Amino acid sequence: MKKLHYVLLIFISNFIYSQNNFEIDLTSDSYINDSLILGAPMTRKGFGDLYTFDIKPNKIISKFGSDHSLYFIKVQKENLINGFIEYPQPVAFVYLDKKNKSALGTKIFFLEKGKYKIDLPQDINFLDLTINTPTNNEYKVLQKALEKFYVKSNNPYQQDSLISLDKKQEFLAQYIKKNPNSYVALWEIVNDYTQYNYHPDYLKNMNLFSAKFKQNKLYKGVESHLKAEQSTSIGQKIPDIYLDKQNKLTSEDFKKHKLTFIDYWSTTCAPCIKGMPEIVNLYKDYKDKNVNFITITDESTTKRMELAISILKKNNADWTNFFDVNKDFQKKLNATGYPLHLIIDENGKIIARIRNNIEEARSIIKEYLQ
């Protein structure tokens, strides 16, 4: 009986896999013996679990270290790429131009189950690929409808400028009502969050999807990320943060000071390091006015932690630093980018959530203390 059960599980697993297979017949004479990357073109930190598909590795295809699916393809005369994908995902082909130290990529297209034939020319930057699949066809229709919310760039290699995120979300609400099972609409919300940060309408619009659609893995993943940020937005209480085995931040820590300024950063974040002297100046101005300063560094390896300590020391950052070893701060605050500045009052309430703007932080602290 156990053997039969095991065989049945294998059969079901293989059936599901076969139903979600994709195959790309790729040619690109301009890139033979050079490498291309296939994967998500831009993701929020911590969102990597949403961009997951599997490509069978071989002599020309290899996956490289990332929190989401990215693959190197050493281009040959003929390239057959086989893989498995659970739901449609936005991807692009990217070329790393080492000579000019730049990255060139196609426009986004959707990878989903089925067979594709793609021929890439030499100039792939912002190339609009014509791929005739259900999701790609819907994506082109939606993008055309969204054009009225953007100012078109005169430079073909620059993105268009969004006029109003509010108006765009209003339009998406009506679109989702008519298309309650649309992966394209859900990914558009993710894309807006990636480019323009959090907006309360994202969760309102997500609630318009069908009950069946809300059961899929992508929907649940996006919802959990957005709810984490909603629950830690301005006016909400900051949750207890367990940074590592010894260190934590709880409501008791915030009671000791009128305000607490938290800077979330990483040694890989150039703006974080560049802006640190501004935080030091802010610290000097308010350290004796019952304002506590904390840095939470998103590093967990010994080498990176040592580098972080040296950067803080070099900048004369005399405040307390913690390392987010457990990634608890990142998960509970949905901290998907650096630098992120939080200002917390003595009751543990978040009074400001700021991205890379020390002057704004200074203004809020000054006004609050007055």
Side-chain angles (χ1 to χ4, degrees), residues 243-267:
L243 298 149
D244 53 39
K245 291 180 179 178
Q246 288 81 36
N247 296 295
K248 62 182 179 180
L249 283 174
T250 69
S251 57
E252 293 301 313
D253 296 296
F254 299 109
K255 288 178 181 178
K256 301 171 186 176
H257 307 275
K258 188 73 174 175
L259 289 176
T260 298
F261 175 90
I262 298 177
D263 175 45
Y264 177 64
W265 74 294
S266 163
T267 59

mmCIF file of all heavy atoms in Angstrom, residues 243-267:
data_model
loop_
_atom_site.group_PDB
_atom_site.id
_atom_site.type_symbol
_atom_site.label_atom_id
_atom_site.label_comp_id
_atom_site.label_asym_id
_atom_site.label_seq_id
_atom_site.Cartn_x
_atom_site.Cartn_y
_atom_site.Cartn_z
ATOM 1 N N LEU A 243 17.177 40.280 16.601
ATOM 2 C CA LEU A 243 18.247 40.476 15.620
ATOM 3 C C LEU A 243 19.210 39.297 15.543
ATOM 4 O O LEU A 243 19.649 38.916 14.462
ATOM 5 C CB LEU A 243 19.002 41.758 15.957
ATOM 6 C CG LEU A 243 18.097 43.009 15.892
ATOM 7 C CD1 LEU A 243 18.548 44.053 16.887
ATOM 8 C CD2 LEU A 243 18.072 43.562 14.492
ATOM 9 N N ASP A 244 19.557 38.727 16.688
ATOM 10 C CA ASP A 244 20.405 37.538 16.739
ATOM 11 C C ASP A 244 20.149 36.840 18.070
ATOM 12 O O ASP A 244 19.168 37.144 18.747
ATOM 13 C CB ASP A 244 21.896 37.900 16.557
ATOM 14 C CG ASP A 244 22.358 38.968 17.536
ATOM 15 O OD1 ASP A 244 21.937 38.934 18.703
ATOM 16 O OD2 ASP A 244 23.141 39.848 17.129
ATOM 17 N N LYS A 245 21.000 35.949 18.454
ATOM 18 C CA LYS A 245 20.777 35.173 19.680
ATOM 19 C C LYS A 245 20.837 36.030 20.939
ATOM 20 O O LYS A 245 20.198 35.721 21.945
ATOM 21 C CB LYS A 245 21.796 34.044 19.775
ATOM 22 C CG LYS A 245 21.603 32.948 18.735
ATOM 23 C CD LYS A 245 22.641 31.856 18.889
ATOM 24 C CE LYS A 245 22.425 30.761 17.849
ATOM 25 N NZ LYS A 245 23.460 29.690 17.950
ATOM 26 N N GLN A 246 21.588 37.132 20.888
ATOM 27 C CA GLN A 246 21.755 37.954 22.086
ATOM 28 C C GLN A 246 20.970 39.265 22.065
ATOM 29 O O GLN A 246 20.593 39.787 23.112
ATOM 30 C CB GLN A 246 23.245 38.305 22.285
ATOM 31 C CG GLN A 246 24.130 37.165 22.747
ATOM 32 C CD GLN A 246 24.557 36.266 21.594
ATOM 33 O OE1 GLN A 246 24.787 36.753 20.495
ATOM 34 N NE2 GLN A 246 24.665 34.978 21.845
ATOM 35 N N ASN A 247 20.734 39.813 20.878
ATOM 36 C CA ASN A 247 20.203 41.173 20.783
ATOM 37 C C ASN A 247 18.779 41.226 20.237
ATOM 38 O O ASN A 247 18.443 40.518 19.284
ATOM 39 C CB ASN A 247 21.116 42.016 19.886
ATOM 40 C CG ASN A 247 22.499 42.185 20.479
ATOM 41 O OD1 ASN A 247 22.663 42.797 21.525
ATOM 42 N ND2 ASN A 247 23.506 41.618 19.815
ATOM 43 N N LYS A 248 18.002 42.102 20.832
ATOM 44 C CA LYS A 248 16.624 42.312 20.379
ATOM 45 C C LYS A 248 16.221 43.750 20.679
ATOM 46 O O LYS A 248 16.851 44.446 21.497
ATOM 47 C CB LYS A 248 15.674 41.338 21.064
ATOM 48 C CG LYS A 248 15.616 41.480 22.576
ATOM 49 C CD LYS A 248 14.680 40.435 23.178
ATOM 50 C CE LYS A 248 14.643 40.573 24.702
ATOM 51 N NZ LYS A 248 13.734 39.576 25.327
ATOM 52 N N LEU A 249 15.177 44.198 19.997
ATOM 53 C CA LEU A 249 14.587 45.511 20.252
ATOM 54 C C LEU A 249 13.128 45.305 20.607
ATOM 55 O O LEU A 249 12.375 44.718 19.826
ATOM 56 C CB LEU A 249 14.699 46.407 19.020
ATOM 57 C CG LEU A 249 16.063 47.043 18.715
ATOM 58 C CD1 LEU A 249 16.002 47.769 17.378
ATOM 59 C CD2 LEU A 249 16.467 48.014 19.826
ATOM 60 N N THR A 250 12.726 45.783 21.784
ATOM 61 C CA THR A 250 11.338 45.654 22.217
ATOM 62 C C THR A 250 10.810 47.028 22.639
ATOM 63 O O THR A 250 11.550 48.011 22.668
ATOM 64 C CB THR A 250 11.204 44.685 23.401
ATOM 65 O OG1 THR A 250 11.801 45.270 24.562
ATOM 66 C CG2 THR A 250 11.889 43.348 23.104
ATOM 67 N N SER A 251 9.550 47.082 22.983
ATOM 68 C CA SER A 251 8.926 48.349 23.390
ATOM 69 C C SER A 251 9.635 48.967 24.593
ATOM 70 O O SER A 251 9.651 50.194 24.749
ATOM 71 C CB SER A 251 7.447 48.121 23.717
ATOM 72 O OG SER A 251 7.306 47.128 24.722
ATOM 73 N N GLU A 252 10.239 48.137 25.443
ATOM 74 C CA GLU A 252 10.945 48.634 26.615
ATOM 75 C C GLU A 252 12.141 49.505 26.221
ATOM 76 O O GLU A 252 12.486 50.461 26.920
ATOM 77 C CB GLU A 252 11.413 47.473 27.499
ATOM 78 C CG GLU A 252 10.285 46.693 28.147
ATOM 79 C CD GLU A 252 9.412 47.583 29.034
ATOM 80 O OE1 GLU A 252 9.979 48.356 29.840
ATOM 81 O OE2 GLU A 252 8.173 47.507 28.921
ATOM 82 N N ASP A 253 12.785 49.163 25.097
ATOM 83 C CA ASP A 253 13.954 49.923 24.643
ATOM 84 C C ASP A 253 13.574 51.338 24.209
ATOM 85 O O ASP A 253 14.334 52.288 24.412
ATOM 86 C CB ASP A 253 14.641 49.194 23.480
ATOM 87 C CG ASP A 253 15.203 47.849 23.902
ATOM 88 O OD1 ASP A 253 16.110 47.839 24.744
ATOM 89 O OD2 ASP A 253 14.728 46.813 23.404
ATOM 90 N N PHE A 254 12.408 51.488 23.638
ATOM 91 C CA PHE A 254 11.992 52.796 23.139
ATOM 92 C C PHE A 254 11.502 53.719 24.251
ATOM 93 O O PHE A 254 11.524 54.945 24.105
ATOM 94 C CB PHE A 254 10.914 52.630 22.061
ATOM 95 C CG PHE A 254 11.402 51.836 20.877
ATOM 96 C CD1 PHE A 254 10.941 50.550 20.648
ATOM 97 C CD2 PHE A 254 12.348 52.371 20.010
ATOM 98 C CE1 PHE A 254 11.406 49.811 19.569
ATOM 99 C CE2 PHE A 254 12.820 51.637 18.923
ATOM 100 C CZ PHE A 254 12.352 50.365 18.705
ATOM 101 N N LYS A 255 11.074 53.139 25.373
ATOM 102 C CA LYS A 255 10.591 53.941 26.493
ATOM 103 C C LYS A 255 11.696 54.788 27.132
ATOM 104 O O LYS A 255 11.422 55.765 27.817
ATOM 105 C CB LYS A 255 9.979 53.031 27.566
ATOM 106 C CG LYS A 255 8.638 52.423 27.174
ATOM 107 C CD LYS A 255 8.123 51.505 28.262
ATOM 108 C CE LYS A 255 6.784 50.878 27.873
ATOM 109 N NZ LYS A 255 6.294 49.940 28.918
ATOM 110 N N LYS A 256 12.942 54.409 26.872
ATOM 111 C CA LYS A 256 14.077 55.086 27.503
ATOM 112 C C LYS A 256 14.396 56.435 26.864
ATOM 113 O O LYS A 256 15.186 57.211 27.402
ATOM 114 C CB LYS A 256 15.319 54.191 27.427
ATOM 115 C CG LYS A 256 15.144 52.834 28.101
ATOM 116 C CD LYS A 256 16.325 51.920 27.802
ATOM 117 C CE LYS A 256 16.093 50.506 28.346
ATOM 118 N NZ LYS A 256 17.199 49.584 27.966
ATOM 119 N N HIS A 257 13.787 56.715 25.695
ATOM 120 C CA HIS A 257 14.125 57.943 24.961
ATOM 121 C C HIS A 257 12.865 58.589 24.384
ATOM 122 O O HIS A 257 11.873 57.904 24.123
ATOM 123 C CB HIS A 257 15.104 57.642 23.831
ATOM 124 C CG HIS A 257 16.324 56.908 24.282
ATOM 125 N ND1 HIS A 257 17.435 57.551 24.807
ATOM 126 C CD2 HIS A 257 16.611 55.576 24.298
ATOM 127 C CE1 HIS A 257 18.344 56.648 25.121
ATOM 128 N NE2 HIS A 257 17.877 55.443 24.825
ATOM 129 N N LYS A 258 12.937 59.893 24.192
ATOM 130 C CA LYS A 258 11.820 60.621 23.581
ATOM 131 C C LYS A 258 11.598 60.141 22.151
ATOM 132 O O LYS A 258 10.473 59.909 21.706
ATOM 133 C CB LYS A 258 12.123 62.123 23.586
ATOM 134 C CG LYS A 258 10.950 63.002 23.157
ATOM 135 C CD LYS A 258 9.883 63.073 24.229
ATOM 136 C CE LYS A 258 8.790 64.061 23.861
ATOM 137 N NZ LYS A 258 7.688 64.047 24.834
ATOM 138 N N LEU A 259 12.702 59.979 21.426
ATOM 139 C CA LEU A 259 12.666 59.462 20.062
ATOM 140 C C LEU A 259 13.828 58.512 19.840
ATOM 141 O O LEU A 259 14.876 58.632 20.479
ATOM 142 C CB LEU A 259 12.770 60.598 19.031
ATOM 143 C CG LEU A 259 11.586 61.549 18.850
ATOM 144 C CD1 LEU A 259 11.954 62.649 17.860
ATOM 145 C CD2 LEU A 259 10.345 60.810 18.370
ATOM 146 N N THR A 260 13.630 57.581 18.907
ATOM 147 C CA THR A 260 14.720 56.703 18.470
ATOM 148 C C THR A 260 14.794 56.760 16.946
ATOM 149 O O THR A 260 13.793 56.576 16.261
ATOM 150 C CB THR A 260 14.493 55.246 18.915
ATOM 151 O OG1 THR A 260 14.472 55.191 20.349
ATOM 152 C CG2 THR A 260 15.619 54.343 18.398
ATOM 153 N N PHE A 261 15.986 57.052 16.468
ATOM 154 C CA PHE A 261 16.237 57.091 15.021
ATOM 155 C C PHE A 261 16.949 55.792 14.638
ATOM 156 O O PHE A 261 17.995 55.455 15.194
ATOM 157 C CB PHE A 261 17.109 58.296 14.663
ATOM 158 C CG PHE A 261 17.532 58.353 13.214
ATOM 159 C CD1 PHE A 261 16.759 59.011 12.275
ATOM 160 C CD2 PHE A 261 18.708 57.744 12.796
ATOM 161 C CE1 PHE A 261 17.146 59.066 10.945
ATOM 162 C CE2 PHE A 261 19.108 57.788 11.469
ATOM 163 C CZ PHE A 261 18.325 58.456 10.533
ATOM 164 N N ILE A 262 16.374 55.055 13.676
ATOM 165 C CA ILE A 262 16.969 53.793 13.209
ATOM 166 C C ILE A 262 17.379 53.947 11.751
ATOM 167 O O ILE A 262 16.574 54.357 10.908
ATOM 168 C CB ILE A 262 15.988 52.619 13.345
ATOM 169 C CG1 ILE A 262 15.597 52.396 14.809
ATOM 170 C CG2 ILE A 262 16.599 51.342 12.767
ATOM 171 C CD1 ILE A 262 14.566 51.292 15.009
ATOM 172 N N ASP A 263 18.622 53.616 11.469
ATOM 173 C CA ASP A 263 19.128 53.610 10.092
ATOM 174 C C ASP A 263 19.407 52.164 9.690
ATOM 175 O O ASP A 263 20.238 51.484 10.292
ATOM 176 C CB ASP A 263 20.413 54.439 9.995
ATOM 177 C CG ASP A 263 21.043 54.353 8.609
ATOM 178 O OD1 ASP A 263 20.297 54.468 7.619
ATOM 179 O OD2 ASP A 263 22.269 54.160 8.513
ATOM 180 N N TYR A 264 18.691 51.690 8.664
ATOM 181 C CA TYR A 264 18.870 50.337 8.145
ATOM 182 C C TYR A 264 19.726 50.426 6.891
ATOM 183 O O TYR A 264 19.365 51.124 5.937
ATOM 184 C CB TYR A 264 17.501 49.736 7.833
ATOM 185 C CG TYR A 264 17.518 48.347 7.218
ATOM 186 C CD1 TYR A 264 18.009 47.262 7.926
ATOM 187 C CD2 TYR A 264 17.003 48.136 5.938
ATOM 188 C CE1 TYR A 264 18.005 45.992 7.372
ATOM 189 C CE2 TYR A 264 16.984 46.869 5.383
ATOM 190 C CZ TYR A 264 17.489 45.796 6.099
ATOM 191 O OH TYR A 264 17.475 44.538 5.544
ATOM 192 N N TRP A 265 20.864 49.721 6.876
ATOM 193 C CA TRP A 265 21.814 49.875 5.780
ATOM 194 C C TRP A 265 22.580 48.577 5.528
ATOM 195 O O TRP A 265 22.439 47.592 6.238
ATOM 196 C CB TRP A 265 22.781 51.018 6.076
ATOM 197 C CG TRP A 265 23.813 50.671 7.130
ATOM 198 C CD1 TRP A 265 23.569 50.423 8.453
ATOM 199 C CD2 TRP A 265 25.220 50.507 6.923
ATOM 200 N NE1 TRP A 265 24.755 50.118 9.101
ATOM 201 C CE2 TRP A 265 25.784 50.166 8.187
ATOM 202 C CE3 TRP A 265 26.063 50.623 5.828
ATOM 203 C CZ2 TRP A 265 27.148 49.935 8.353
ATOM 204 C CZ3 TRP A 265 27.430 50.404 5.996
ATOM 205 C CH2 TRP A 265 27.953 50.065 7.253
ATOM 206 N N SER A 266 23.421 48.625 4.490
ATOM 207 C CA SER A 266 24.259 47.473 4.145
ATOM 208 C C SER A 266 25.589 47.986 3.589
ATOM 209 O O SER A 266 25.661 49.093 3.045
ATOM 210 C CB SER A 266 23.553 46.611 3.090
ATOM 211 O OG SER A 266 24.463 45.726 2.464
ATOM 212 N N THR A 267 26.613 47.185 3.696
ATOM 213 C CA THR A 267 27.929 47.573 3.163
ATOM 214 C C THR A 267 27.940 47.581 1.640
ATOM 215 O O THR A 267 28.863 48.114 1.030
ATOM 216 C CB THR A 267 29.028 46.616 3.661
ATOM 217 O OG1 THR A 267 28.727 45.280 3.242
ATOM 218 C CG2 THR A 267 29.143 46.656 5.180
#
